[in-house]
Amino acid sequence: MKRVHRKGAEGAQSFSLSRSAVCVTVAIQHTTMKDFFISYNRADRTWAEWIAWQLEAEGYSVVIQAWDFRPGGNFVLDMQSATGAERTIAVLSDDYLTSEFTAPEWAAAFAQDPTGIESKLLPVRVRECEPKGLLRSIVYIDLLKLDEAAAKRALLAGVIRGRAKPTVKPGFPGSFTRTIANAPRYPDSPPVIWNIPHLRNPNFTGREEELEQLRTSHMASKTAALVQTQAIHGLGGIGKTQLAIEYAYRHDTGYDVVWWIRSEDPVTLVNDYAGLAEKLNLPEKDATEQRVVVEAVKEWLRINRGWLLIFDNAEVVKPIKNCLPRGGKGHIIITSRNPNWSGVANSLSVKSLPLDTAIEFLLKRTGSEDEATAKELAEKLGCLPLALEQASAFIETSGRALTHYLELFEKRQSELLKRGELSTEYPDTVATTWSLSFQNVERENKIAPELLRLCAFFAPDDIPLKMIIEGAEELPESLTATATDSFSFDEALIALHKYSLIEVEDEKLSIHRLVQCVIRDAMSEVEFKQWAGVAVHVVNAAFPQESNDVRTWPLCASLLPHATVALSHAEAIQFTSKETSRLLNQIGLYLHARAEYTQAKKMFEQAIAISETALGPDHPDVAINLNNLGLVLRAQGDLEGAKALYERAITIGEATLGSNHPDVAARLNNLGNVLRAQGDLAGAKALYERVIAIDEAAFGPDHPEVATDLNNLGLVLKAQGDLEGTKALYERALQIRQKFLGDGHPYTKTVQDNLRLLEEDMKNA
């Protein structure tokens, strides 16, 4: 079929179609061959419709799925008929090239004209992509980065075959009827209706994964409202609204309508939602009953496509649910602190920024190059976007450096979180952002705030629920009742989780470090001391007695961060108790067993100071702490320091427990180890012999403790040259350990190795 070309008013070329019969309308039967079949991926639908419109405006006949494949039709037959068009236009993009469904459409046209002489396949590139394989050899029309007028000229010039003059007289144009009434919006132009109340944030950093997840979910949707609706939820100040704003600006050209709805209050929500009726010029826009207006908007959304609704700061599900259209081809984003949107929307949990992104934001926002300080500040702010912005705004307005703000934050943290420097995009401080959530929780569940206060004195991440439940006896009375009642405990967790103040996963609770800070700062001095003490007692109750036993180490490792934080708060207010001393001691034993001697030494020293203050200098618990600190000093090579500690511990033990108590024996043994290391073999031998006598009397001759004593005495006898005496001790110790521990236990293996080395020495003697 040949075309005739004519000059436009400004010399630009435009083209009309020559027809041999009366032209046809939308309802034209597919048995009539069309000029063009538009092959496209649904991600490029706006482009496909724009191209189809321009071609029909010039008199070409077009078949396009969006307009011509109607409900009730047979898709396979419709597609077979469509691919029989004179030519196929392939709308090129990465989505098109990677789709398994579009390849057969362009392949059918390519097979009819593999050399390209008849231009059966005409690719039109609309987005950045690189055709591969067979498509690579075909010259495409490139609309990339052109304005609408230039794109139209390029498209129409590109579809001409040879000369534009037709061989037959053109049909009468007046008989042509357009497929749809209104021209599609040019794909790269902004939305016709737009009410986003915020400017695009020039400092927006990161969140690429979340943006991609939103886009992927939206583009994957077809008709189900559930699939099209995304709920972005997370803690206040985490950046939910900023994420929605960035999404709207980034993808604005894909929508005809972008409408922002303030949703924190049901009245405001309905007013903003109904306001769309006026912008759409719906007949019901002036109805006196707001319900009528709302239903009219819902109906428009149901039957139209190309719209984006953003319900910002929604807390309650029902008002939002009442505004969702029953179907439709648009997209919905909900931002909320409430994570409970199941059955209404797909869920996207937004957490604090990754550390590297938080650092990048601080440097970009402040213009600083001090990456080390930015890292330290980001960590102290918990990588919370609102806190990062608040700090950056303060630095910007004060003209000070990152280091200055960091120093100020360490000293005046509470004041900075309450005050800060604000911007129009962030009208609330970190502290005020959460105040409403705290109030709502207190209204809904009286016990939940107490649980939150307790958790403010632990490490922010992975707080074991089991630790709280099993430590119920250490809690205030009201919280004890809740912790011992599974249903009530769950109710408290639900109330906190509803406002994203906590996260619960794998039987562990997490809370943002700045939320903890704001909660602690709101306490009176009396409340602070009370909850700091409760936290220490709860962790202490959970920390295992045998913390130096490797079998308890996984539990110790999970409790250590919470114990450390709880103790730091207790230390800040000089809180001392028997439980505090015991917890320090158990941590010290764990660290000593892990060969972390410096930290273990610090724990034991603190334990001694607290136990002496709380219990007196000659209390048995003081002796325990002294003995354990001696273990660390000996491991560090400070034998004299260890000896002095053991001697004092023995003196206290003999005075309070008696000379023949097993605890006294343990300290005598440790002192013997020091004397042996110092070369005082006679002194060590005397102590070991006394230890054996005490333990045999207390536990019996075949107890594992006796085996340890025998082994140690054997070491002295060997050093003194009494190999036969040593062998007898080792053999007896081995029998006991094999009986109680088995051959595979490390303690049994130690004696076996000692005996083997001894026998080798005896052979070589």
Side-chain angles (χ1 to χ4, degrees):
M1 211 180 263
K2 303 214 190 250
R3 308 287 187 273
V4 61
H5 104 276
R6 62 179 185 267
K7 287 283 187 179
E10 298 178 359
Q13 291 182 337
S14 58
F15 309 92
S16 62
L17 173 64
S18 169
R19 300 183 185 277
S20 58
V22 177
C23 67
V24 292
T25 67
V26 172
I28 190 170
Q29 296 296 316
H30 289 314
T31 53
T32 302
M33 180 179 288
K34 297 294 185 76
D35 293 321
F36 291 102
F37 163 53
I38 311 295
S39 172
Y40 64 96
N41 179 273
R42 62 173 173 267
D44 304 309
R45 175 173 173 167
T46 56
W47 273 110
E49 292 189 75
W50 182 85
I51 291 169
W53 178 276
Q54 306 309 319
L55 294 174
E56 285 199 350
E58 292 300 318
Y60 294 98
S61 59
V62 174
V63 60
I64 175 173
Q65 180 181 339
W67 299 349
D68 297 304
F69 289 24
R70 308 309 300 152
N74 186 306
F75 178 83
V76 175
L77 294 179
D78 285 344
M79 185 58 72
Q80 181 179 357
S81 176
T83 54
E86 173 83 10
R87 289 194 279 174
T88 294
I89 286 182
V91 183
L92 296 185
S93 68
D94 274 334
D95 291 302
Y96 185 88
L97 295 174
T98 56
S99 172
E100 60 181 308
F101 300 109
T102 55
E105 298 174 12
W106 66 259
F110 184 87
Q112 297 176 44
D113 181 27
T115 63
I117 294 176
E118 299 181 32
S119 299
K120 289 282 189 181
L121 177 60
L122 192 60
V124 178
R125 190 172 77 143
V126 298
R127 288 195 283 137
E128 192 70 54
C129 63
E130 192 62 41
K132 306 288 185 183
L134 297 175
L135 280 176
R136 186 177 183 180
S137 62
I138 303 175
V139 177
Y140 54 74
I141 300 171
D142 198 355
L143 305 186
L144 200 63
K145 299 181 180 179
L146 299 180
D147 61 25
E148 184 168 13
K152 178 180 178 180
R153 289 196 295 271
L155 173 68
L156 298 179
V159 299
I160 296 175
R161 283 173 168 165
R163 293 189 68 219
K165 182 178 180 179
T167 57
V168 295
K169 181 181 178 180
F172 178 56
S175 62
F176 173 73
T177 303
R178 185 175 296 286
T179 302
I180 60 174
N182 298 316
R185 178 171 60 90
Y186 184 61
D188 279 341
S189 61
V192 177
I193 296 175
W194 169 279
N195 79 327
I196 300 295
H198 306 279
L199 296 174
R200 190 172 190 176
N201 184 355
N203 299 304
F204 187 89
T205 306
R207 299 296 193 205
E208 293 301 324
E209 184 177 339
E210 290 88 344
L211 287 165
E212 180 62 27
Q213 187 173 336
L214 281 172
R215 189 61 176 168
T216 300
S217 183
H218 279 159
M219 297 313 299
S221 65
K222 292 184 179 180
T223 59
L226 175 62
V227 177
Q228 294 170 319
T229 306
Q230 299 291 306
I232 305 172
H233 61 85
L235 177 67
I238 209 72
K240 305 178 294 295
T241 296
Q242 287 296 312
L243 180 60
I245 293 168
E246 177 64 19
Y247 182 88
Y249 277 100
R250 189 172 294 195
H251 300 291
D252 61 348
T253 58
Y255 298 104
D256 295 318
V257 174
V258 176
W259 197 250
W260 187 276
I261 302 164
R262 298 166 297 169
S263 307
E264 61 273 11
D265 175 78
V267 175
T268 305
L269 185 154
V270 174
N271 283 337
D272 284 3
Y273 187 85
L276 182 55
E278 185 173 349
K279 286 292 184 180
L280 294 171
N281 198 29
L282 300 181
E284 299 85 353
K285 68 180 186 299
D286 296 321
T288 55
E289 292 186 47
Q290 199 168 51
R291 176 185 57 82
V292 174
V293 184
V294 168
E295 289 301 319
V297 172
K298 286 173 65 175
E299 180 62 14
W300 186 92
L301 296 172
R302 185 185 69 81
I303 63 178
N304 285 277
R305 65 179 71 251
W307 49 264
L308 170 66
L309 298 185
I310 300 175
F311 293 90
D312 185 46
N313 200 22
E315 299 302 342
V316 184
V317 175
K318 187 176 179 180
I320 303 296
K321 195 172 183 180
N322 292 339
C323 291
L324 299 182
R326 297 177 182 86
K329 299 289 183 67
H331 301 151
I332 296 170
I333 293 175
I334 301 167
T335 73
S336 177
R337 303 183 192 197
N338 185 354
N340 303 311
W341 293 92
S342 177
V344 175
N346 287 335
S347 177
L348 174 57
S349 177
V350 181
K351 304 183 186 300
S352 294
L353 292 172
L355 180 59
D356 58 345
T357 304
I359 295 170
E360 180 186 352
F361 174 86
L362 282 174
L363 297 177
K364 176 181 177 182
R365 178 72 172 80
T366 63
S368 173
E369 297 180 356
D370 187 352
E371 189 169 336
T373 302
K375 178 177 183 293
E376 188 175 353
L377 180 57
E379 289 172 337
K380 288 189 178 295
L381 296 175
C383 297
L384 183 78
L386 178 56
L388 296 169
E389 167 60 25
Q390 190 172 315
S392 299
F394 185 97
I395 292 167
E396 180 182 40
T397 55
S398 67
R400 305 300 295 272
L402 276 171
T403 51
H404 174 76
Y405 187 88
L406 179 60
E407 292 170 1
L408 196 61
F409 186 80
E410 291 172 341
K411 297 174 183 177
R412 311 286 287 274
Q413 178 173 305
S414 174
E415 294 170 70
L416 285 175
L417 292 179
K418 290 177 182 176
R419 179 184 177 279
E421 288 293 333
L422 309 180
S423 66
T424 55
E425 299 302 311
Y426 298 86
D428 294 323
T429 66
V430 170
T432 57
T433 293
W434 298 321
S435 60
L436 181 60
S437 294
F438 295 153
Q439 293 169 16
N440 289 338
V441 167
E442 209 150 21
R443 216 169 22 244
E444 295 178 17
N445 189 297
K446 298 298 182 184
I447 304 303
E450 293 196 21
L451 180 58
L452 203 61
R453 292 183 186 105
L454 172 64
C455 293
F457 289 87
F458 296 138
D461 300 316
D462 299 327
I463 302 170
L465 297 179
K466 184 178 180 181
M467 177 183 74
I468 298 173
I469 294 169
E470 294 185 349
E473 292 184 1
E474 308 294 337
L475 301 173
E477 186 176 345
S478 57
L479 195 51
T480 296
T482 297
T484 53
D485 183 334
S486 180
F487 179 79
S488 297
F489 192 67
D490 286 347
E491 286 288 297
L493 293 176
I494 289 169
L496 296 173
H497 188 244
K498 179 178 178 180
Y499 296 96
S500 294
L501 291 171
I502 63 168
E503 293 183 5
V504 180
E505 187 175 357
D506 297 331
E507 296 300 308
K508 294 177 181 178
L509 180 157
S510 296
I511 176 173
H512 197 279
R513 65 181 67 251
L514 293 187
V515 172
Q516 291 179 307
C517 175
V518 171
I519 291 169
R520 291 193 302 268
D521 288 339
M523 294 181 185
S524 66
E525 186 177 342
V526 173
E527 289 175 322
F528 191 101
K529 188 169 184 177
Q530 176 198 359
W531 286 108
V534 169
V536 168
H537 288 192
V538 168
V539 186
N540 176 62
F543 221 93
Q545 181 66 22
E546 302 298 328
S547 57
N548 58 339
D549 188 327
V550 66
R551 291 170 294 183
T552 70
W553 287 0
L555 176 58
C556 292
S558 69
L559 295 174
L560 183 60
H562 309 296
T564 303
V565 171
L567 287 168
S568 69
H569 291 303
E571 183 181 13
I573 58 172
Q574 298 181 330
F575 175 82
T576 59
S577 68
K578 181 178 180 180
E579 290 78 8
T580 309
S581 174
R582 189 262 176 189
L583 179 56
L584 286 163
N585 183 74
Q586 297 310 117
I587 296 174
L589 287 174
Y590 168 67
L591 295 173
H592 172 262
R594 301 298 299 263
E596 297 181 31
Y597 300 129
T598 301
Q599 290 302 313
K601 181 173 180 285
K602 179 181 177 182
M603 294 297 159
F604 288 134
E605 287 173 341
Q606 290 180 0
I608 291 169
I610 291 175
S611 60
E612 285 181 330
T613 300
L615 305 172
D618 297 326
H619 193 277
D621 286 1
V622 175
I624 292 172
N625 302 147
L626 291 167
N627 176 80
N628 293 342
L629 179 56
L631 296 174
V632 174
L633 295 188
R634 183 192 167 209
Q636 291 180 319
D638 183 2
L639 298 181
E640 280 300 323
K643 180 182 176 184
L645 291 170
Y646 291 144
E647 288 174 340
R648 183 183 167 195
I650 291 168
T651 300
I652 295 173
E654 288 178 329
T656 57
L657 304 173
S659 300
N660 295 322
H661 194 279
D663 286 357
V664 174
R667 293 157 199 167
L668 290 168
N669 176 79
N670 292 341
L671 180 57
N673 291 339
V674 170
L675 296 182
R676 178 167 57 83
Q678 290 180 321
D680 183 0
L681 299 180
K685 181 172 181 283
L687 290 175
Y688 289 145
E689 288 173 341
R690 182 182 169 190
V691 170
I692 291 172
I694 294 172
D695 285 346
E696 284 182 332
F699 305 121
D702 295 328
H703 193 273
E705 289 290 348
V706 175
T708 299
D709 304 338
L710 293 168
N711 179 77
N712 292 348
L713 179 57
L715 293 173
V716 172
L717 295 186
K718 181 181 179 183
Q720 291 178 325
D722 183 359
L723 302 186
E724 288 295 337
T726 302
K727 182 179 180 183
L729 292 171
Y730 283 167
E731 287 175 341
R732 183 182 165 195
L734 181 59
Q735 288 176 351
I736 295 172
R737 287 197 169 168
Q738 286 175 327
K739 176 181 177 181
F740 283 90
L741 303 176
D743 283 324
H745 196 280
Y747 290 171
T748 304
K749 190 174 183 302
T750 297
V751 180
Q752 288 173 329
D753 290 342
N754 288 345
L755 183 58
R756 176 178 54 79
L757 292 172
L758 175 67
E759 289 173 344
E760 290 179 2
D761 289 344
M762 294 176 74
K763 288 179 183 178
N764 297 327

